[in-house]
Amino acid sequence: MLRTHTCGELRPDHIGQTVTLCGWVQRTRDKGSIAWIDLRDRYGLTQIALEEGVEADSLREQLRHLGREFVLSVTGVVQERYSKNDKMPTGAIEIRPTSLEILNPAKLPPFLIEDDTDGGDDLRLKYRYLDLRRTPVRNNLMLRHKLAQAVRRYLDGQEFIEVETPVLIKSTPEGARDFVVPSRMNPGEFYALPQSPQTFKQLLMVSGFDRYFQIVKCFRDEDLRADRQPEFTQIDCEMSFVTQEDILNMFEGLVRYLFKEIKDLDFPEVPRMTYAEAMHRFGNDKPDVRFAMEFVELNDLAKGHGFPVFDNAPWVAGINAITSAAYTRKQIDELMEWVKRPQIGATGLVYARVEADGVVKSSVDKFYPQEELQKWKTAFNANPGDLLLLLAGDENKTRKALSELRLEMGRRLGLCDKNSFAPLWVVDFPLLEFGEEENRYFAMHHPFTSPKPEDLALLDSPETIGQVRANAYDLVINGVEIGGGSIRIHDRAVQARMFSLLGFTDEEAQAQFGFLLDAFEYGAPPHGGLALGFDRLCSLFGGSDSIRDFIAFPKNNSGRDVMIDSPSPISDAQLKELSIATTVGGK
Ligand code: ASP
């Protein structure tokens, strides 16, 4: 090897040894009588010191030609530092060089390779290989690596087998939009990249693998957000001969193991909440339960007092933004504007403060005498200093808006501490959801999810079909959906019925999913599983909202890789070979 040690390794124990380090020049400083080079590699930083009259003048001359990010090999003797830096692991020693060799010079990087950089997002993505030299970014990828190893350890310990499934598969009409790949050998035909290995892992269960997992790339051609990338990674799992309870316990075990291994945190148990309860208490199927601020429904108290907004609204409810009574008029006006933003969609906001003496002052005093407002106070379990925030309107829309307001107040009140973690299983999701635009039902999870056996009869009538619950569950941590899964259908007839409910003719179902329906006739075991979003899990453990920070080479918000400049046009010759009509953009 070109080096004897790394730049993070040397300690006082090494004093007196001759060593060779290789790395990048973080910076050089020349104070006349003494000059320094900070040499960096993945493992850390080591100081090289050149003292006038001690180290050779020729070395000093060499130092003058070094720039940031030059790749250097340094041989020298480890020596105790005059002034130690106890913030650096190598801060008690330095190297007195006997030779310096430039392994490769470097152009001045387009942004500072420091923890706090001056580079904007686009520039850092274009030069991602330089951004990855920065400690915080590298640490994110180290965290990802550690999590991946811990996931493998746990699942391997539970007899899960890691199996790779194909990346070139078949486009299906359900779910998100597919990325497709033209097939040269089959003109006019296309593969699709998997949105998940769902059907393959189910087939592995039919094959008898019993417990499968894969840390796997999935592809969805959807509009991007901070927590979405066109290609992302899932921890994909499936088990045979299990109930929902077994799956929840197995993966609760995984979550507990990860928190213990990576963060040294103990979780007694992951609480469970039904979808219906989550919607009722928090207006959200992925509630952030780090804080309470639960919905209080106020139809009974609010209606019939002559306040038209409440009287005319189908649903009135609010939250108690505890300790916020000191909000100024200006702050409340600003909050009012906030709830009216199109993304939130409320038409207005009614507030009531509980003053120090317990008197409630509200924006609708005119309609509600103190005696009524005191009833509100009781309903909200409010104390002096609290601020009640009320919304009214169509129930579904208002629940959504109130949920957003609750999260916003949670953030403003500092209740969303990045270092506290509140996991939750949300269970009993509806099987189907109605698409108004398409005028048909869609599978809420996916078409392979099993209805709850006790709700099967509800499938028979159009009136009750929307009430059918599924054996489907999501893992939510701090209001982020970390993953989800279900017990699957393993019976051909039930699966065929499901396809028909989703609007497939028998022929279409056979053409799209015939392989699965057929497989169910060859001894399919009862099975179920889930997939956890690995990028999201990493960002959650890393205390960041952006999954991009935890992906080595991510795409930007337009789905572009600006480093390799992709997507990009392909030549007419390539298009022709793929039997795709040439385009104006082709080269
Ligand atoms: N394949 C599902 C998904 O990607 C997860 C599962 O049901 O296992 O959401």
Side-chain angles (χ1 to χ4, degrees):
M1 275 196 256
L2 298 183
R3 60 185 174 195
T4 58
H5 296 79
T6 70
C7 295
E9 195 177 342
L10 298 171
R11 298 286 182 277
D13 282 355
H14 297 93
I15 287 169
Q17 287 184 21
T18 297
V19 298
T20 300
L21 302 186
C22 295
W24 287 261
V25 173
Q26 180 76 30
R27 69 179 82 77
T28 57
R29 282 158 296 155
D30 194 338
K31 285 258 172 77
S33 61
I34 189 153
W36 296 273
I37 306 165
D38 286 341
L39 198 66
R40 181 196 75 237
D41 65 12
R42 188 188 120 187
Y43 306 92
L45 208 66
T46 296
Q47 175 169 294
I48 321 292
L50 294 86
E51 201 174 340
E52 201 164 37
V54 180
E55 275 69 42
D57 288 348
S58 58
L59 292 174
R60 203 51 182 268
E61 183 51 32
Q62 269 187 297
L63 179 138
R64 266 176 216 121
H65 296 101
L66 294 178
R68 275 180 181 263
E69 302 304 316
F70 273 45
V71 188
L72 209 61
S73 163
V74 178
T75 300
V77 181
V78 184
Q79 191 167 303
E80 187 174 0
R81 270 205 213 181
Y82 290 135
S83 62
K84 301 196 175 40
N85 179 348
D86 56 16
K87 295 209 178 69
M88 270 171 83
T90 61
I93 57 94
E94 62 192 9
I95 310 277
R96 293 305 186 107
T98 49
S99 77
L100 296 178
E101 186 192 348
I102 295 175
L103 300 176
N104 212 344
K107 280 171 52 175
L108 189 69
F111 50 85
L112 276 177
I113 313 285
E114 304 268 0
D115 290 5
D116 287 318
T117 179
D118 54 353
D121 278 1
D122 282 347
L123 197 60
R124 285 189 292 119
L125 280 180
K126 184 165 163 56
Y127 296 94
R128 184 65 169 174
Y129 48 90
L130 296 180
D131 202 26
L132 289 170
R133 286 186 190 165
R134 296 171 49 234
T135 307
V137 188
R138 188 180 54 246
N139 284 346
N140 287 347
L141 289 187
M142 304 266 286
L143 172 69
R144 187 182 175 104
H145 164 78
K146 276 196 201 146
L147 272 163
Q149 300 314 310
V151 167
R152 289 203 163 90
R153 265 198 310 280
Y154 176 84
L155 293 175
D156 180 55
Q158 301 288 340
E159 303 291 345
F160 282 77
I161 299 171
E162 189 167 8
V163 182
E164 288 166 275
T165 51
V167 172
L168 295 175
I169 63 164
K170 180 185 168 91
S171 187
T172 59
E174 283 300 292
R177 212 174 284 115
D178 283 324
F179 281 103
V180 295
V181 180
S183 162
R184 177 183 58 81
M185 287 191 289
N186 303 277
E189 297 190 314
F190 295 81
Y191 301 101
L193 304 182
Q195 296 183 26
S196 87
Q198 184 61 36
T199 49
F200 290 97
K201 65 175 173 177
Q202 291 191 236
L203 293 173
L204 287 171
M205 295 303 107
V206 178
S207 307
F209 275 77
D210 199 74
R211 290 181 176 194
Y212 141 94
F213 87 101
Q214 185 178 192
I215 299 185
V216 61
K217 271 289 171 74
C218 300
F219 306 84
R220 291 180 195 173
D221 189 1
E222 293 175 310
D223 294 338
L224 305 179
R225 295 195 305 242
D227 61 350
R228 269 204 201 144
Q229 284 272 307
E231 53 177 300
F232 59 98
T233 305
Q234 290 197 333
I235 307 167
D236 192 46
C237 308
E238 198 74 6
M239 303 170 79
S240 289
F241 305 117
V242 285
T243 62
Q244 168 168 312
E245 196 53 31
D246 298 321
I247 296 178
L248 300 189
N249 288 332
M250 175 63 73
F251 291 96
E252 182 169 325
L254 171 64
V255 170
R256 273 214 295 267
Y257 180 76
L258 295 179
F259 273 107
K260 185 71 197 163
E261 287 280 293
I262 309 290
K263 294 209 158 278
D264 199 22
L265 286 179
D266 288 300
F267 278 115
E269 66 176 46
V270 178
R272 307 198 178 158
M273 190 182 289
T274 64
Y275 169 89
E277 189 182 344
M279 294 307 287
H280 181 74
R281 289 169 59 189
F282 303 102
N284 199 320
D285 62 1
K286 42 177 194 296
D288 188 339
V289 291
R290 278 176 294 184
F291 60 98
M293 221 188 272
E294 293 189 18
F295 286 13
V296 175
E297 295 192 18
L298 225 63
N299 272 7
D300 292 348
L301 290 178
K303 287 172 181 282
H305 293 270
F307 179 43
V309 175
F310 283 177
D311 284 348
N312 298 332
W315 196 71
V316 183
I319 51 171
N320 177 2
I322 42 155
T323 71
S324 302
Y327 255 49
T328 60
R329 185 67 230 198
K330 205 171 143 217
Q331 279 173 304
I332 294 205
D333 285 347
E334 187 260 331
L335 208 54
M336 237 174 245
E337 288 313 309
W338 190 90
V339 298
K340 286 190 201 160
R341 294 177 344 159
Q343 305 93 301
I344 312 300
T347 44
L349 175 74
V350 167
Y351 68 89
R353 335 166 182 270
V354 187
E355 314 259 296
D357 55 7
V359 172
V360 180
K361 290 263 166 63
S362 102
S363 52
V364 288
D365 280 351
K366 219 165 79 188
F367 301 100
Y368 300 91
Q370 189 54 220
E371 191 189 314
E372 285 303 316
L373 293 176
Q374 286 299 319
K375 290 186 196 159
W376 291 17
K377 186 174 116 187
T378 310
F380 280 94
N381 209 356
N383 293 308
D386 288 350
L387 175 70
L388 313 180
L389 299 171
L390 278 68
L391 297 181
D394 164 79
E395 178 167 347
N396 283 340
K397 272 199 200 138
T398 309
R399 269 192 197 282
K400 250 201 195 136
L402 193 59
S403 166
E404 292 297 333
L405 179 62
R406 171 183 175 271
L407 290 171
E408 178 65 15
M409 291 315 293
R411 281 188 286 269
R412 291 188 187 197
L413 291 169
L415 302 173
C416 301
D417 176 10
K418 286 203 155 88
N419 295 315
S420 82
F421 297 92
L424 178 73
W425 285 113
V426 178
V427 298
D428 296 356
F429 273 81
L431 181 71
L432 301 162
E433 69 188 330
F434 194 72
E436 300 283 347
E437 238 168 73
E438 302 82 354
N439 195 34
R440 74 159 172 102
Y441 278 103
F442 285 85
M444 191 144 180
H445 186 50
H446 53 54
F448 316 108
T449 295
S450 158
K452 276 193 180 292
E454 60 268 36
D455 287 2
L456 266 177
L458 298 173
L459 277 176
D460 295 335
S461 148
E463 258 98 75
T464 52
I465 198 167
Q467 297 164 21
V468 177
R469 292 165 306 160
N471 273 323
Y473 33 81
D474 273 359
L475 176 67
V476 176
I477 307 182
N478 294 359
V480 179
E481 182 195 326
I482 291 296
S486 58
I487 295 292
R488 324 298 184 187
I489 297 166
H490 65 281
D491 176 273
R492 181 178 177 123
V494 178
Q495 187 64 71
R497 171 120 196 260
M498 186 69 189
F499 285 137
S500 123
L501 285 174
L502 298 175
F504 286 76
T505 62
D506 286 352
E507 293 71 35
E508 283 165 348
Q510 191 61 34
Q512 283 297 333
F513 297 109
F515 61 95
L516 188 71
L517 291 167
D518 292 347
F520 285 172
E521 293 189 302
Y522 289 96
H527 61 285
L530 90 184
L532 304 176
F534 187 53
D535 311 288
R536 284 191 191 166
L537 196 67
C538 293
S539 67
L540 183 92
F541 271 73
S544 159
D545 292 330
S546 171
I547 63 170
R548 245 181 16 193
D549 300 345
F550 297 82
I551 296 174
F553 298 105
K555 312 257 183 299
N556 74 5
N557 285 342
S558 326
R560 297 197 68 83
D561 183 325
V562 291
M563 182 181 68
I564 61 172
D565 193 20
S566 169
S568 58
I570 58 174
S571 68
D572 278 349
Q574 267 176 302
L575 286 170
K576 205 166 154 215
E577 201 171 48
L578 294 167
S579 311
I580 296 178
T582 54
T583 61
V584 185
K587 281 184 202 153

